[in-house]
Amino acid sequence: MALKKNPEESVSYAESATAERAKQLFNSGEGTKKKETKILTTFSIEPSFKKELEGLFGELGLSWAGGIRFALKEFCKKYKE
């Protein structure tokens, strides 16, 4: 059995201060730099080399993807000339 919605009892968030603040934050990007969306990239490596890298990244406290991003950024810094 479905319940009917009573419009008098419903709470309106459209005019609340919290709703206005949320709109400002999410629409204007106030105070934050807009992030780029990430793209999925694939490549092939040997399973033994991947395990070795996962161990190294784990020691650094990084996940697989985080470690790869870190390694690529460091590579770019080192060889950017």
Side-chain angles (χ1 to χ4, degrees):
M1 178 166 130
L3 297 175
K4 291 185 179 179
K5 185 177 179 180
N6 188 350
E8 290 98 33
E9 293 179 13
S10 66
V11 178
S12 175
Y13 293 104
E15 297 148 7
S16 72
T18 306
E20 288 301 317
R21 181 69 178 142
K23 284 180 187 176
Q24 287 175 351
L25 287 173
F26 291 108
N27 290 337
S28 67
E30 179 181 310
T32 59
K33 190 170 100 175
K34 189 172 181 177
K35 287 188 173 182
E36 280 187 281
T37 56
K38 292 184 173 55
I39 58 168
L40 177 64
T41 305
T42 59
F43 59 95
S44 299
I45 60 172
E46 295 86 7
S48 59
F49 184 52
K50 183 178 181 202
K51 282 203 180 292
E52 192 177 318
L53 289 175
E54 284 175 325
L56 175 64
F57 297 154
E59 289 173 11
L60 297 171
L62 299 170
S63 65
W64 167 251
I68 293 295
R69 285 191 294 269
F70 175 77
L72 290 171
K73 286 178 186 176
E74 289 299 310
F75 180 85
C76 286
K77 284 180 193 174
K78 185 175 180 178
Y79 291 103
K80 192 178 195 177
E81 291 180 358

